Amino acid sequence: MPPAAAAAAPLAYLDHAATTPLRPEAREAMLPWLGERFGNPSGGHALARAARTAIEEARDVLADCLGARPGEVVFTGGGTEGDNLAIAGVHARRGGRVVCTAVEHHAVLHACEALKGAVAAVDATGAVDLDALASLLGDDVSVVSVMLANNEVGTVQPLGDVCALVADRSPAAVVHTDAVQGFPWLDVAGLAASAHLVAVSAHKFGGPQGVGALVVREGTAIEPLLRGGAQERDRRSGTHNVAGIAGMAAAARATVDQRAGTVARVATLRDRLADGLLAAVPGTTESGTRATKVAGNCHLLFEGVESEALLVLLDQAGVCATAASSCASGAMDPSHVLAAMGVPRRLAAGSLRLSLGWSSTDADVDRALAVVPEAVDRLRRSSP
Ligand code: PLP
């Protein structure tokens, strides 16, 4: 396709696991707090009170959507902060050993590494190996962190089994789950009911970037990461992001209310995309197992192709995708998730994550189906 035609074509956004577009409900809920209703919710006058009311209304919504009590919801600056607060916050109070899985997001993995934590192996689908996890448990463990759904390959973890195992082998430990990628697709309220700490991030479900929530169940003592004005009952100091929190609540409500329909619709789109690419591109394998993946994840491995080069061609053709998780440097480190699943480095080098979300359309899939096979073919021909 000539560059001019490519530039004119609408983008096919297939990077929802990196961030999702703002839902209209969220934008509408945010606007007043970006305009005339600018009060600091910690203050004592009318504008401050209005902001405080908005925060508490949002807290009620998040609590309902996450299966928590309002007092258990702590507003954060996003998923990374929630994960760090959960792990470092509990550890600072209780000491002990920290355990996570090998496929956690770096927000969990690095927080555990900083505390010299142990890492449990996963199987070829990316699901935690419960025997491996059991072998790491004991009375001296204080925190076990197992994500609800993986950000690269979409694998859903057996969180109920994990909670039961931890209750049996490490009864004093708390379970943290990073539900950042799970929330758009899964009933977090039900699936994470036995977890003591649950982190979500607004921008993964149609809310704004830079805001999230951590459920801290009653009786779970955490030390704050941030000290200051003692907001959030001294669990997270700092002036509230009122607009962000209002937007997150509206997005959470819409996500939960529309979840069943979105999951069914997006799973159909994802299946068409994955099946279409598997059929059109020889030497392609799918990571994980579709039966245990979230609906929006399509993760493929193309033999004989470098992800970086593929992403450049896709970008030029208006397809927004990624290879592993997004990180600030944009650098493509070999994926720790694929390595933990036992994917050979040679294959992992040709990985592509196409992630769909609430606003994905048939046109996005059509465009990817038209562009990806041609791009892979071109790369293979240029370096056989
Ligand atoms: N956890 C998972 C599973 C994620 O996918 C992400 C973002 O990619 C994060 C945590 C970090 O969330 P945030 O971008 O809100 O800091």
Side-chain angles (χ1 to χ4, degrees):
M1 184 179 302
L11 292 179
Y13 186 74
L14 289 162
D15 203 12
H16 283 253
T19 199
T20 51
L22 197 65
R23 287 177 180 269
E25 300 91 334
R27 181 180 291 107
E28 198 161 312
M30 292 173 75
L31 284 176
W33 310 103
L34 297 168
E36 71 285 0
R37 308 186 80 181
F38 56 84
N40 183 328
S42 299
H45 48 67
L47 273 179
R49 277 195 303 279
R52 192 153 61 244
T53 301
I55 297 282
E56 294 316 318
E57 285 173 0
R59 197 185 307 283
D60 290 345
V61 173
L62 264 299
D64 185 47
C65 293
L66 293 170
R69 297 184 191 154
E72 296 175 329
V73 174
V74 178
F75 291 121
T76 65
T80 302
E81 186 189 322
D83 287 339
N84 276 268
L85 175 57
I87 293 163
V90 171
H91 187 266
R93 280 286 174 101
R94 300 170 52 165
R97 282 197 300 120
V98 175
V99 176
C100 72
T101 80
V103 293
E104 298 297 314
H105 187 273
H106 285 133
V108 165
L109 210 50
H110 290 170
C112 285
E113 275 167 15
L115 299 169
K116 311 221 174 324
V119 175
V122 298
D123 66 18
T125 70
V128 62
D129 176 336
L130 291 171
D131 291 334
L133 179 62
S135 73
L136 298 173
L137 298 179
D139 286 336
D140 57 340
V141 171
S142 55
V143 189
V144 177
S145 187
V146 176
M147 70 201 321
L148 187 55
N150 183 262
N151 44 299
E152 287 186 35
V153 296
T155 301
V156 179
Q157 298 290 351
L159 193 60
D161 295 343
V162 168
C163 290
L165 185 65
V166 173
D168 183 44
R169 305 288 177 96
S170 300
V174 298
V175 175
H176 165 58
T177 190
D178 173 337
V180 167
Q181 295 288 342
F183 187 78
W185 313 108
L186 305 169
D187 170 27
V188 173
L191 293 171
S194 300
H196 304 78
L197 299 140
V198 183
V200 294
S201 175
H203 74 108
K204 307 291 187 179
F205 56 87
Q209 295 166 345
V211 59
L214 177 69
V215 171
V216 182
R217 302 254 187 242
E218 223 169 275
T220 307
I222 54 163
E223 192 70 10
L225 293 181
L226 303 178
R227 295 172 200 284
Q231 287 90 344
E232 296 296 287
R233 288 181 23 210
D234 210 9
R235 293 167 295 182
R236 200 279 188 179
S237 286
T239 300
H240 291 93
N241 173 357
V242 185
I245 290 168
M248 171 166 64
R253 181 82 277 152
T255 298
V256 171
D257 289 351
Q258 298 165 24
R259 199 186 264 141
T262 305
V263 167
R265 188 179 70 78
V266 171
T268 304
L269 288 176
R270 186 274 313 274
D271 289 349
R272 187 161 76 82
L273 176 63
D275 292 339
L277 292 176
L278 285 164
V281 187
T284 306
T285 47
E286 190 172 4
S287 314
T289 306
R290 237 177 277 171
T292 57
K293 265 174 186 272
V294 291
N297 181 278
C298 170
H299 191 281
L300 301 171
L301 306 168
F302 298 107
E303 268 173 50
V305 164
E306 289 287 337
S307 300
E308 275 166 83
L310 178 59
L311 290 174
V312 170
L313 291 187
L314 298 189
D315 188 27
Q316 284 169 0
V319 173
C320 304
T322 191
S325 55
S326 4
C327 64
S329 66
M332 296 288 182
D333 290 332
S335 158
H336 69 282
V337 173
L338 296 179
M341 290 164 62
V343 175
R345 217 185 147 95
R346 172 185 63 82
L347 270 184
S351 68
L352 178 67
R353 181 185 74 182
L354 298 161
S355 54
L356 297 87
W358 69 270
S359 60
S360 293
T361 63
D362 270 307
D364 297 328
V365 172
D366 291 342
R367 188 154 183 79
L369 287 174
V371 166
V372 175
E374 201 180 300
V376 172
D377 188 50
R378 194 168 138 194
L379 290 174
R380 284 179 177 164
R381 274 189 285 112
S382 68
S383 67

